[in-house]
Amino acid sequence: MILITGGMGYIGTHLVLELMSGGEDVVILDNLCNSSRSTLQRIVRVAGKAPAFIEGDVRHRKTLDHLFKRYPIDAVIHCAGLKAVGESVREPLRYYDTNLGGTLTLCQAMAGAGVFTLVFSSSATVYDDCAIMPINERCRTGHPSSPYGQSKLMAENVMKSMAEADPRWSVALLRYFNPIGAHDSGQVGEMPALMPNNLLPYLLQVASGQRPSLSVFGSDYQTPDGTGIRDYIHVMDLAEGHIKALQALRCAQGLHIWNLGTGLGHSVLEVVKAFERVSGVAVPLAFKPRRAGDIAQCWADPVKASKELGWRAHRSLDCMLDDAWRWQMSYRRDAAEVLLPVITGTPSLTTSAGSLSI
Ligand code: NAD
Ligand code: UD1
């Protein structure tokens, strides 16, 4: 059985679905600070059954000990964390507490329970601003520009020391580039609770009429059209990368670092044009100065993951945008109505409070 911390969040939900579709048993631990219980209904709609769910905090050792006692967990995918860069500048202690403290407590509880297989949600933000693209896993790290990035790098370093000290650990540090898109069912996707900061969630809200225009932050970068370039990766490709990493860890000890990106860079204007083509909806733009902390370009060298895991992202930018748009439409429809589960029967969901019927 696999424990997914943060399994009710954007990436975690897609991982849960991918694991369940492969026949794996899954238990989710999430404190719902950036997700909603209604996500369970969405998972059931797609998977036809509910995963086990514990509402709890990854920083609470007692909750973790209880989980490892109660379920036959043999591996953990650690997605729980806070991810808003600007917020991390305003509230650094909260970010270190959750992203670093949560990882420390989780690793201690895992060792206590004799579980040594761990996949960690890291980020390309740990890399230094590289002049040379693409970024491979040997590129320099060490100067993330925000407490968020620092907390990810510090957590990585904790796990490196831990794996060096104890050969029983099998750890994967997966450095995500820019995950976007949604499950192809249109039932599951990113649900930003507050005003979105990232490009795609903002663009989707503009396209669906919730906001007047998309700000393009900087049009004077040294890039072909002057706007920032990123490596956007479909969240389901990302989920598949985790499954491959987990398979690799089950037969290889030590610590491994893999970039999860496509190896392709797209500018802000390319993303907007592709979205307009795919959706048929025009996106009004407002050109603004560069956003503080942004870099001109960033895309992955995904060759290590391809060689060592046999994994490659294969979904196109159009597919990412199409899936994200269908999800946005379905989410908006559901928000307008009452969210009704379409399955028959009343599966039982395990929660900290006991059993919940939906
Ligand atoms: P998300 O906010 O949608 O999901 C994170 C989940 O963790 C949420 O459901 C939240 O409620 C839960 N959580 C937060 N703190 C917790 C705690 N203390 N205990 C238990 N649960 C807690 O974010 P996401 O986009 O799914 O990101 C997942 C992970 O991937 C994060 O660690 C993030 O830093 C990392 N990451 C994300 C991106 C991205 O662009 N989405 C890029 C790089 C890395
Ligand atoms: C940001 C974070 C990164 C984090 C990632 C996922 C920063 C500096 N980096 O990455 O650490 O891992 O989110 O949470 O915040 N853009 C616009 N208009 C918008 C939003 C974005 O033009 O409204 C542009 C940006 O300037 C950038 C590109 O779109 O060129 C992508 O931005 P975004 O989606 O925020 O991701 P990153 O900045 O790459």
Side-chain angles (χ1 to χ4, degrees), residues 83 85 123-125 145-146 148 177-179 197-200 202 214-217 221 227-230 232 268 291-296:
K83 63 165 181 177
V85 175
S123 167
T125 195
S145 58
S146 69
Y148 165 71
F177 280 67
N178 290 60
N197 295 309
N198 296 120
L199 178 65
L200 205 71
Y202 205 101
L214 173 72
S215 301
V216 176
F217 296 132
Y221 285 110
T227 65
I229 294 180
R230 296 291 184 275
Y232 298 95
V268 174
R291 185 174 66 177
D294 267 357
I295 51 175

PDB file of all heavy atoms in Angstrom, residues 83 85 123-125 145-146 148 177-179 197-200 202 214-217 221 227-230 232 268 291-296, ligand 2:
ATOM      1  N   LYS A  83       3.165  25.846  -1.527  1.00  0.00           N
ATOM      2  CA  LYS A  83       3.870  26.059  -2.803  1.00  0.00           C
ATOM      3  C   LYS A  83       3.782  27.468  -3.384  1.00  0.00           C
ATOM      4  O   LYS A  83       4.212  27.687  -4.506  1.00  0.00           O
ATOM      5  CB  LYS A  83       3.343  25.050  -3.826  1.00  0.00           C
ATOM      6  CG  LYS A  83       1.868  25.250  -4.135  1.00  0.00           C
ATOM      7  CD  LYS A  83       1.428  24.511  -5.387  1.00  0.00           C
ATOM      8  CE  LYS A  83      -0.028  24.763  -5.668  1.00  0.00           C
ATOM      9  NZ  LYS A  83      -0.524  24.148  -6.876  1.00  0.00           N
ATOM     10  N   VAL A  85       5.040  30.936  -3.953  1.00  0.00           N
ATOM     11  CA  VAL A  85       6.338  31.586  -3.792  1.00  0.00           C
ATOM     12  C   VAL A  85       6.216  32.919  -3.039  1.00  0.00           C
ATOM     13  O   VAL A  85       6.948  33.168  -2.077  1.00  0.00           O
ATOM     14  CB  VAL A  85       6.982  31.793  -5.181  1.00  0.00           C
ATOM     15  CG1 VAL A  85       8.269  32.581  -5.077  1.00  0.00           C
ATOM     16  CG2 VAL A  85       7.235  30.450  -5.836  1.00  0.00           C
ATOM     17  N   SER A 123      11.322  20.520  -6.854  1.00  0.00           N
ATOM     18  CA  SER A 123      10.970  21.529  -7.852  1.00  0.00           C
ATOM     19  C   SER A 123      12.213  21.990  -8.600  1.00  0.00           C
ATOM     20  O   SER A 123      13.313  22.044  -8.028  1.00  0.00           O
ATOM     21  CB  SER A 123      10.352  22.727  -7.118  1.00  0.00           C
ATOM     22  OG  SER A 123      10.261  23.828  -7.982  1.00  0.00           O
ATOM     23  N   ALA A 124      12.031  22.386  -9.837  1.00  0.00           N
ATOM     24  CA  ALA A 124      13.133  22.954 -10.620  1.00  0.00           C
ATOM     25  C   ALA A 124      13.613  24.262 -10.017  1.00  0.00           C
ATOM     26  O   ALA A 124      14.678  24.760 -10.378  1.00  0.00           O
ATOM     27  CB  ALA A 124      12.674  23.193 -12.053  1.00  0.00           C
ATOM     28  N   THR A 125      12.848  24.791  -9.077  1.00  0.00           N
ATOM     29  CA  THR A 125      13.236  26.043  -8.434  1.00  0.00           C
ATOM     30  C   THR A 125      14.522  25.878  -7.606  1.00  0.00           C
ATOM     31  O   THR A 125      15.165  26.877  -7.254  1.00  0.00           O
ATOM     32  CB  THR A 125      12.065  26.580  -7.568  1.00  0.00           C
ATOM     33  OG1 THR A 125      12.299  27.914  -7.237  1.00  0.00           O
ATOM     34  CG2 THR A 125      11.873  25.794  -6.296  1.00  0.00           C
ATOM     35  N   SER A 145      15.579  31.530  -4.922  1.00  0.00           N
ATOM     36  CA  SER A 145      15.314  32.954  -4.675  1.00  0.00           C
ATOM     37  C   SER A 145      14.209  33.180  -3.649  1.00  0.00           C
ATOM     38  O   SER A 145      13.892  34.324  -3.344  1.00  0.00           O
ATOM     39  CB  SER A 145      14.948  33.629  -5.996  1.00  0.00           C
ATOM     40  OG  SER A 145      13.833  32.973  -6.542  1.00  0.00           O
ATOM     41  N   SER A 146      13.606  32.124  -3.124  1.00  0.00           N
ATOM     42  CA  SER A 146      12.508  32.343  -2.171  1.00  0.00           C
ATOM     43  C   SER A 146      12.600  31.327  -1.037  1.00  0.00           C
ATOM     44  O   SER A 146      13.212  30.267  -1.192  1.00  0.00           O
ATOM     45  CB  SER A 146      11.166  32.142  -2.882  1.00  0.00           C
ATOM     46  OG  SER A 146      11.006  30.772  -3.217  1.00  0.00           O
ATOM     47  N   TYR A 148      10.311  29.408  -0.230  1.00  0.00           N
ATOM     48  CA  TYR A 148       9.729  28.168  -0.785  1.00  0.00           C
ATOM     49  C   TYR A 148      10.834  27.304  -1.403  1.00  0.00           C
ATOM     50  O   TYR A 148      10.977  26.127  -1.079  1.00  0.00           O
ATOM     51  CB  TYR A 148       8.661  28.508  -1.835  1.00  0.00           C
ATOM     52  CG  TYR A 148       8.290  27.308  -2.695  1.00  0.00           C
ATOM     53  CD1 TYR A 148       7.557  26.251  -2.166  1.00  0.00           C
ATOM     54  CD2 TYR A 148       8.696  27.218  -4.031  1.00  0.00           C
ATOM     55  CE1 TYR A 148       7.245  25.138  -2.936  1.00  0.00           C
ATOM     56  CE2 TYR A 148       8.378  26.111  -4.809  1.00  0.00           C
ATOM     57  CZ  TYR A 148       7.652  25.081  -4.255  1.00  0.00           C
ATOM     58  OH  TYR A 148       7.349  23.975  -5.018  1.00  0.00           O
ATOM     59  N   PHE A 177       9.160  20.454 -13.349  1.00  0.00           N
ATOM     60  CA  PHE A 177       9.231  21.745 -14.036  1.00  0.00           C
ATOM     61  C   PHE A 177       7.845  22.419 -13.884  1.00  0.00           C
ATOM     62  O   PHE A 177       7.458  22.669 -12.756  1.00  0.00           O
ATOM     63  CB  PHE A 177       9.794  21.563 -15.453  1.00  0.00           C
ATOM     64  CG  PHE A 177      11.314  21.465 -15.358  1.00  0.00           C
ATOM     65  CD1 PHE A 177      11.926  20.370 -14.742  1.00  0.00           C
ATOM     66  CD2 PHE A 177      12.126  22.508 -15.748  1.00  0.00           C
ATOM     67  CE1 PHE A 177      13.308  20.318 -14.544  1.00  0.00           C
ATOM     68  CE2 PHE A 177      13.507  22.471 -15.559  1.00  0.00           C
ATOM     69  CZ  PHE A 177      14.096  21.371 -14.960  1.00  0.00           C
ATOM     70  N   ASN A 178       7.103  22.698 -14.913  1.00  0.00           N
ATOM     71  CA  ASN A 178       5.840  23.429 -14.698  1.00  0.00           C
ATOM     72  C   ASN A 178       4.634  22.540 -15.005  1.00  0.00           C
ATOM     73  O   ASN A 178       4.183  22.492 -16.158  1.00  0.00           O
ATOM     74  CB  ASN A 178       5.805  24.694 -15.559  1.00  0.00           C
ATOM     75  CG  ASN A 178       6.776  25.743 -15.075  1.00  0.00           C
ATOM     76  OD1 ASN A 178       7.985  25.511 -15.016  1.00  0.00           O
ATOM     77  ND2 ASN A 178       6.272  26.903 -14.710  1.00  0.00           N
ATOM     78  N   PRO A 179       4.104  21.854 -13.991  1.00  0.00           N
ATOM     79  CA  PRO A 179       2.964  20.972 -14.247  1.00  0.00           C
ATOM     80  C   PRO A 179       1.701  21.777 -14.553  1.00  0.00           C
ATOM     81  O   PRO A 179       1.361  22.705 -13.829  1.00  0.00           O
ATOM     82  CB  PRO A 179       2.781  20.201 -12.929  1.00  0.00           C
ATOM     83  CG  PRO A 179       3.949  20.539 -12.065  1.00  0.00           C
ATOM     84  CD  PRO A 179       4.502  21.835 -12.568  1.00  0.00           C
ATOM     85  N   ASN A 197      -1.504  32.477  -8.951  1.00  0.00           N
ATOM     86  CA  ASN A 197      -0.270  33.179  -9.318  1.00  0.00           C
ATOM     87  C   ASN A 197       0.324  32.611 -10.585  1.00  0.00           C
ATOM     88  O   ASN A 197       1.012  33.311 -11.322  1.00  0.00           O
ATOM     89  CB  ASN A 197       0.776  33.019  -8.205  1.00  0.00           C
ATOM     90  CG  ASN A 197       0.340  33.694  -6.935  1.00  0.00           C
ATOM     91  OD1 ASN A 197      -0.031  34.857  -6.964  1.00  0.00           O
ATOM     92  ND2 ASN A 197       0.349  32.964  -5.833  1.00  0.00           N
ATOM     93  N   ASN A 198       0.101  31.334 -10.814  1.00  0.00           N
ATOM     94  CA  ASN A 198       0.742  30.669 -11.950  1.00  0.00           C
ATOM     95  C   ASN A 198      -0.012  30.960 -13.238  1.00  0.00           C
ATOM     96  O   ASN A 198      -1.195  31.288 -13.238  1.00  0.00           O
ATOM     97  CB  ASN A 198       0.837  29.153 -11.706  1.00  0.00           C
ATOM     98  CG  ASN A 198       1.740  28.833 -10.515  1.00  0.00           C
ATOM     99  OD1 ASN A 198       1.304  28.234  -9.554  1.00  0.00           O
ATOM    100  ND2 ASN A 198       2.989  29.263 -10.585  1.00  0.00           N
ATOM    101  N   LEU A 199       0.729  30.814 -14.342  1.00  0.00           N
ATOM    102  CA  LEU A 199       0.197  31.244 -15.635  1.00  0.00           C
ATOM    103  C   LEU A 199      -1.121  30.553 -15.997  1.00  0.00           C
ATOM    104  O   LEU A 199      -2.103  31.220 -16.323  1.00  0.00           O
ATOM    105  CB  LEU A 199       1.253  30.977 -16.726  1.00  0.00           C
ATOM    106  CG  LEU A 199       0.823  31.331 -18.133  1.00  0.00           C
ATOM    107  CD1 LEU A 199       0.590  32.831 -18.280  1.00  0.00           C
ATOM    108  CD2 LEU A 199       1.881  30.870 -19.152  1.00  0.00           C
ATOM    109  N   LEU A 200      -1.126  29.226 -15.982  1.00  0.00           N
ATOM    110  CA  LEU A 200      -2.301  28.567 -16.539  1.00  0.00           C
ATOM    111  C   LEU A 200      -3.582  28.768 -15.736  1.00  0.00           C
ATOM    112  O   LEU A 200      -4.621  29.102 -16.323  1.00  0.00           O
ATOM    113  CB  LEU A 200      -2.050  27.081 -16.814  1.00  0.00           C
ATOM    114  CG  LEU A 200      -3.017  26.652 -17.910  1.00  0.00           C
ATOM    115  CD1 LEU A 200      -2.661  27.222 -19.253  1.00  0.00           C
ATOM    116  CD2 LEU A 200      -3.206  25.186 -17.946  1.00  0.00           C
ATOM    117  N   TYR A 202      -4.419  31.226 -14.014  1.00  0.00           N
ATOM    118  CA  TYR A 202      -4.866  32.613 -14.235  1.00  0.00           C
ATOM    119  C   TYR A 202      -5.498  32.742 -15.627  1.00  0.00           C
ATOM    120  O   TYR A 202      -6.584  33.297 -15.798  1.00  0.00           O
ATOM    121  CB  TYR A 202      -3.697  33.595 -14.072  1.00  0.00           C
ATOM    122  CG  TYR A 202      -4.167  34.975 -13.695  1.00  0.00           C
ATOM    123  CD1 TYR A 202      -4.087  35.416 -12.384  1.00  0.00           C
ATOM    124  CD2 TYR A 202      -4.746  35.821 -14.644  1.00  0.00           C
ATOM    125  CE1 TYR A 202      -4.561  36.675 -12.023  1.00  0.00           C
ATOM    126  CE2 TYR A 202      -5.226  37.068 -14.288  1.00  0.00           C
ATOM    127  CZ  TYR A 202      -5.122  37.492 -12.984  1.00  0.00           C
ATOM    128  OH  TYR A 202      -5.604  38.734 -12.634  1.00  0.00           O
ATOM    129  N   LEU A 214      -5.236  38.810 -18.864  1.00  0.00           N
ATOM    130  CA  LEU A 214      -4.047  38.110 -18.374  1.00  0.00           C
ATOM    131  C   LEU A 214      -2.862  39.066 -18.443  1.00  0.00           C
ATOM    132  O   LEU A 214      -2.553  39.602 -19.519  1.00  0.00           O
ATOM    133  CB  LEU A 214      -3.771  36.879 -19.247  1.00  0.00           C
ATOM    134  CG  LEU A 214      -2.459  36.145 -18.957  1.00  0.00           C
ATOM    135  CD1 LEU A 214      -2.534  35.396 -17.629  1.00  0.00           C
ATOM    136  CD2 LEU A 214      -2.112  35.175 -20.083  1.00  0.00           C
ATOM    137  N   SER A 215      -2.190  39.258 -17.306  1.00  0.00           N
ATOM    138  CA  SER A 215      -0.968  40.068 -17.321  1.00  0.00           C
ATOM    139  C   SER A 215       0.158  39.224 -17.891  1.00  0.00           C
ATOM    140  O   SER A 215       0.359  38.092 -17.471  1.00  0.00           O
ATOM    141  CB  SER A 215      -0.581  40.490 -15.905  1.00  0.00           C
ATOM    142  OG  SER A 215      -1.618  41.223 -15.320  1.00  0.00           O
ATOM    143  N   VAL A 216       0.874  39.808 -18.857  1.00  0.00           N
ATOM    144  CA  VAL A 216       2.077  39.144 -19.373  1.00  0.00           C
ATOM    145  C   VAL A 216       3.247  39.842 -18.691  1.00  0.00           C
ATOM    146  O   VAL A 216       3.518  41.019 -18.942  1.00  0.00           O
ATOM    147  CB  VAL A 216       2.177  39.264 -20.903  1.00  0.00           C
ATOM    148  CG1 VAL A 216       3.478  38.652 -21.410  1.00  0.00           C
ATOM    149  CG2 VAL A 216       0.976  38.610 -21.563  1.00  0.00           C
ATOM    150  N   PHE A 217       3.928  39.097 -17.801  1.00  0.00           N
ATOM    151  CA  PHE A 217       4.985  39.715 -16.996  1.00  0.00           C
ATOM    152  C   PHE A 217       6.302  39.730 -17.761  1.00  0.00           C
ATOM    153  O   PHE A 217       7.040  38.757 -17.748  1.00  0.00           O
ATOM    154  CB  PHE A 217       5.155  38.971 -15.671  1.00  0.00           C
ATOM    155  CG  PHE A 217       3.952  39.035 -14.769  1.00  0.00           C
ATOM    156  CD1 PHE A 217       3.447  37.892 -14.173  1.00  0.00           C
ATOM    157  CD2 PHE A 217       3.314  40.246 -14.514  1.00  0.00           C
ATOM    158  CE1 PHE A 217       2.345  37.950 -13.336  1.00  0.00           C
ATOM    159  CE2 PHE A 217       2.199  40.319 -13.683  1.00  0.00           C
ATOM    160  CZ  PHE A 217       1.716  39.163 -13.097  1.00  0.00           C
ATOM    161  N   TYR A 221      12.476  40.056 -22.420  1.00  0.00           N
ATOM    162  CA  TYR A 221      13.492  39.035 -22.134  1.00  0.00           C
ATOM    163  C   TYR A 221      14.257  38.692 -23.420  1.00  0.00           C
ATOM    164  O   TYR A 221      13.744  38.897 -24.533  1.00  0.00           O
ATOM    165  CB  TYR A 221      12.831  37.750 -21.588  1.00  0.00           C
ATOM    166  CG  TYR A 221      12.362  37.861 -20.160  1.00  0.00           C
ATOM    167  CD1 TYR A 221      10.994  37.884 -19.853  1.00  0.00           C
ATOM    168  CD2 TYR A 221      13.264  37.916 -19.107  1.00  0.00           C
ATOM    169  CE1 TYR A 221      10.546  37.969 -18.540  1.00  0.00           C
ATOM    170  CE2 TYR A 221      12.826  37.998 -17.791  1.00  0.00           C
ATOM    171  CZ  TYR A 221      11.470  38.025 -17.513  1.00  0.00           C
ATOM    172  OH  TYR A 221      11.047  38.110 -16.215  1.00  0.00           O
ATOM    173  N   THR A 227       8.977  37.104 -24.228  1.00  0.00           N
ATOM    174  CA  THR A 227       8.292  36.656 -23.000  1.00  0.00           C
ATOM    175  C   THR A 227       8.977  35.407 -22.435  1.00  0.00           C
ATOM    176  O   THR A 227       9.724  34.721 -23.149  1.00  0.00           O
ATOM    177  CB  THR A 227       6.781  36.393 -23.251  1.00  0.00           C
ATOM    178  OG1 THR A 227       6.620  35.292 -24.160  1.00  0.00           O
ATOM    179  CG2 THR A 227       6.101  37.628 -23.816  1.00  0.00           C
ATOM    180  N   GLY A 228       8.720  35.141 -21.157  1.00  0.00           N
ATOM    181  CA  GLY A 228       9.417  34.073 -20.436  1.00  0.00           C
ATOM    182  C   GLY A 228       9.100  32.682 -20.996  1.00  0.00           C
ATOM    183  O   GLY A 228       7.977  32.416 -21.427  1.00  0.00           O
ATOM    184  N   ILE A 229      10.122  31.838 -20.955  1.00  0.00           N
ATOM    185  CA  ILE A 229       9.968  30.470 -21.488  1.00  0.00           C
ATOM    186  C   ILE A 229      10.053  29.469 -20.343  1.00  0.00           C
ATOM    187  O   ILE A 229      10.938  29.555 -19.492  1.00  0.00           O
ATOM    188  CB  ILE A 229      11.062  30.177 -22.537  1.00  0.00           C
ATOM    189  CG1 ILE A 229      10.846  31.078 -23.752  1.00  0.00           C
ATOM    190  CG2 ILE A 229      11.078  28.709 -22.927  1.00  0.00           C
ATOM    191  CD1 ILE A 229      11.874  30.883 -24.858  1.00  0.00           C
ATOM    192  N   ARG A 230       9.099  28.502 -20.331  1.00  0.00           N
ATOM    193  CA  ARG A 230       9.083  27.456 -19.301  1.00  0.00           C
ATOM    194  C   ARG A 230       8.810  26.104 -19.949  1.00  0.00           C
ATOM    195  O   ARG A 230       8.288  26.016 -21.062  1.00  0.00           O
ATOM    196  CB  ARG A 230       7.972  27.717 -18.269  1.00  0.00           C
ATOM    197  CG  ARG A 230       8.137  28.979 -17.452  1.00  0.00           C
ATOM    198  CD  ARG A 230       9.307  28.901 -16.483  1.00  0.00           C
ATOM    199  NE  ARG A 230       9.379  30.097 -15.644  1.00  0.00           N
ATOM    200  CZ  ARG A 230       9.992  31.231 -15.993  1.00  0.00           C
ATOM    201  NH1 ARG A 230      10.584  31.336 -17.172  1.00  0.00           N
ATOM    202  NH2 ARG A 230      10.017  32.263 -15.170  1.00  0.00           N
ATOM    203  N   TYR A 232       6.467  23.326 -19.720  1.00  0.00           N
ATOM    204  CA  TYR A 232       5.164  22.910 -19.201  1.00  0.00           C
ATOM    205  C   TYR A 232       4.996  21.419 -19.428  1.00  0.00           C
ATOM    206  O   TYR A 232       5.213  20.926 -20.544  1.00  0.00           O
ATOM    207  CB  TYR A 232       4.038  23.707 -19.889  1.00  0.00           C
ATOM    208  CG  TYR A 232       4.164  25.190 -19.603  1.00  0.00           C
ATOM    209  CD1 TYR A 232       4.821  26.048 -20.492  1.00  0.00           C
ATOM    210  CD2 TYR A 232       3.681  25.724 -18.409  1.00  0.00           C
ATOM    211  CE1 TYR A 232       4.975  27.400 -20.199  1.00  0.00           C
ATOM    212  CE2 TYR A 232       3.834  27.082 -18.117  1.00  0.00           C
ATOM    213  CZ  TYR A 232       4.480  27.909 -19.022  1.00  0.00           C
ATOM    214  OH  TYR A 232       4.641  29.241 -18.726  1.00  0.00           O
ATOM    215  N   VAL A 268       5.320  32.534 -22.919  1.00  0.00           N
ATOM    216  CA  VAL A 268       3.967  32.913 -22.468  1.00  0.00           C
ATOM    217  C   VAL A 268       3.058  33.123 -23.682  1.00  0.00           C
ATOM    218  O   VAL A 268       1.925  32.616 -23.730  1.00  0.00           O
ATOM    219  CB  VAL A 268       4.015  34.192 -21.599  1.00  0.00           C
ATOM    220  CG1 VAL A 268       2.620  34.675 -21.249  1.00  0.00           C
ATOM    221  CG2 VAL A 268       4.836  33.957 -20.330  1.00  0.00           C
ATOM    222  N   ARG A 291       8.025  40.233 -13.574  1.00  0.00           N
ATOM    223  CA  ARG A 291       7.660  39.902 -12.195  1.00  0.00           C
ATOM    224  C   ARG A 291       8.943  39.650 -11.401  1.00  0.00           C
ATOM    225  O   ARG A 291       9.835  38.940 -11.880  1.00  0.00           O
ATOM    226  CB  ARG A 291       6.777  38.646 -12.218  1.00  0.00           C
ATOM    227  CG  ARG A 291       6.220  38.229 -10.892  1.00  0.00           C
ATOM    228  CD  ARG A 291       5.238  37.061 -11.036  1.00  0.00           C
ATOM    229  NE  ARG A 291       5.890  35.829 -11.484  1.00  0.00           N
ATOM    230  CZ  ARG A 291       5.284  34.664 -11.625  1.00  0.00           C
ATOM    231  NH1 ARG A 291       3.980  34.561 -11.383  1.00  0.00           N
ATOM    232  NH2 ARG A 291       5.933  33.603 -12.040  1.00  0.00           N
ATOM    233  N   ALA A 292       9.017  40.224 -10.189  1.00  0.00           N
ATOM    234  CA  ALA A 292      10.237  40.052  -9.372  1.00  0.00           C
ATOM    235  C   ALA A 292      10.529  38.567  -9.177  1.00  0.00           C
ATOM    236  O   ALA A 292       9.629  37.772  -8.915  1.00  0.00           O
ATOM    237  CB  ALA A 292      10.036  40.724  -8.020  1.00  0.00           C
ATOM    238  N   GLY A 293      11.795  38.211  -9.318  1.00  0.00           N
ATOM    239  CA  GLY A 293      12.209  36.824  -9.053  1.00  0.00           C
ATOM    240  C   GLY A 293      12.118  35.912 -10.265  1.00  0.00           C
ATOM    241  O   GLY A 293      12.588  34.772 -10.229  1.00  0.00           O
ATOM    242  N   ASP A 294      11.484  36.375 -11.361  1.00  0.00           N
ATOM    243  CA  ASP A 294      11.338  35.522 -12.551  1.00  0.00           C
ATOM    244  C   ASP A 294      12.655  35.416 -13.319  1.00  0.00           C
ATOM    245  O   ASP A 294      13.437  36.366 -13.377  1.00  0.00           O
ATOM    246  CB  ASP A 294      10.277  36.104 -13.499  1.00  0.00           C
ATOM    247  CG  ASP A 294       8.906  35.528 -13.238  1.00  0.00           C
ATOM    248  OD1 ASP A 294       8.786  34.646 -12.365  1.00  0.00           O
ATOM    249  OD2 ASP A 294       7.949  35.974 -13.909  1.00  0.00           O
ATOM    250  N   ILE A 295      12.843  34.277 -13.944  1.00  0.00           N
ATOM    251  CA  ILE A 295      13.990  34.119 -14.837  1.00  0.00           C
ATOM    252  C   ILE A 295      13.471  34.096 -16.280  1.00  0.00           C
ATOM    253  O   ILE A 295      12.270  33.872 -16.501  1.00  0.00           O
ATOM    254  CB  ILE A 295      14.781  32.824 -14.520  1.00  0.00           C
ATOM    255  CG1 ILE A 295      13.844  31.610 -14.466  1.00  0.00           C
ATOM    256  CG2 ILE A 295      15.527  32.977 -13.201  1.00  0.00           C
ATOM    257  CD1 ILE A 295      14.566  30.293 -14.283  1.00  0.00           C
ATOM    258  N   ALA A 296      14.378  34.333 -17.230  1.00  0.00           N
ATOM    259  CA  ALA A 296      13.944  34.426 -18.627  1.00  0.00           C
ATOM    260  C   ALA A 296      13.467  33.077 -19.149  1.00  0.00           C
ATOM    261  O   ALA A 296      12.428  32.961 -19.785  1.00  0.00           O
ATOM    262  CB  ALA A 296      15.102  34.935 -19.490  1.00  0.00           C
TER     263      ALA A 296
HETATM  264  C1  UD1 B   2       6.547  29.429 -10.210  1.00  0.00           C
HETATM  265  C2  UD1 B   2       7.571  29.567  -9.120  1.00  0.00           C
HETATM  266  C3  UD1 B   2       8.242  28.216  -8.886  1.00  0.00           C
HETATM  267  C4  UD1 B   2       7.202  27.169  -8.543  1.00  0.00           C
HETATM  268  C5  UD1 B   2       6.161  27.128  -9.657  1.00  0.00           C
HETATM  269  C6  UD1 B   2       5.024  26.213  -9.291  1.00  0.00           C
HETATM  270  C7  UD1 B   2       8.314  31.893  -9.192  1.00  0.00           C
HETATM  271  C8  UD1 B   2       9.461  32.807  -9.478  1.00  0.00           C
HETATM  272  N1  UD1 B   2       8.524  30.597  -9.468  1.00  0.00           N
HETATM  273  O1  UD1 B   2       7.241  29.031 -11.383  1.00  0.00           O
HETATM  274  O2  UD1 B   2       9.152  28.334  -7.819  1.00  0.00           O
HETATM  275  O3  UD1 B   2       7.809  25.899  -8.401  1.00  0.00           O
HETATM  276  O4  UD1 B   2       5.607  28.438  -9.868  1.00  0.00           O
HETATM  277  O5  UD1 B   2       4.270  26.718  -8.231  1.00  0.00           O
HETATM  278  O6  UD1 B   2       7.262  32.315  -8.744  1.00  0.00           O
HETATM  279  N2  UD1 B   2       3.294  34.611 -16.107  1.00  0.00           N
HETATM  280  C9  UD1 B   2       2.635  35.667 -16.699  1.00  0.00           C
HETATM  281  N3  UD1 B   2       1.443  36.049 -16.179  1.00  0.00           N
HETATM  282  C10 UD1 B   2       0.877  35.436 -15.092  1.00  0.00           C
HETATM  283  C11 UD1 B   2       1.556  34.369 -14.483  1.00  0.00           C
HETATM  284  C12 UD1 B   2       2.779  33.992 -15.025  1.00  0.00           C
HETATM  285  O7  UD1 B   2       3.114  36.251 -17.661  1.00  0.00           O
HETATM  286  O8  UD1 B   2      -0.217  35.860 -14.649  1.00  0.00           O
HETATM  287  C13 UD1 B   2       4.569  34.160 -16.698  1.00  0.00           C
HETATM  288  C14 UD1 B   2       5.753  34.201 -15.754  1.00  0.00           C
HETATM  289  O9  UD1 B   2       6.377  35.459 -15.795  1.00  0.00           O
HETATM  290  C15 UD1 B   2       6.605  33.056 -16.298  1.00  0.00           C
HETATM  291  C16 UD1 B   2       5.580  32.055 -16.849  1.00  0.00           C
HETATM  292  O10 UD1 B   2       4.365  32.798 -17.050  1.00  0.00           O
HETATM  293  O11 UD1 B   2       7.377  33.507 -17.393  1.00  0.00           O
HETATM  294  C17 UD1 B   2       5.295  30.896 -15.878  1.00  0.00           C
HETATM  295  O12 UD1 B   2       4.967  31.435 -14.612  1.00  0.00           O
HETATM  296  P1  UD1 B   2       4.372  30.524 -13.427  1.00  0.00           P
HETATM  297  O13 UD1 B   2       3.260  29.687 -13.951  1.00  0.00           O
HETATM  298  O14 UD1 B   2       4.081  31.416 -12.278  1.00  0.00           O
HETATM  299  O15 UD1 B   2       5.555  29.523 -13.084  1.00  0.00           O
HETATM  300  P2  UD1 B   2       7.078  29.813 -12.705  1.00  0.00           P
HETATM  301  O16 UD1 B   2       7.328  31.248 -12.471  1.00  0.00           O
HETATM  302  O17 UD1 B   2       7.929  29.146 -13.723  1.00  0.00           O
END
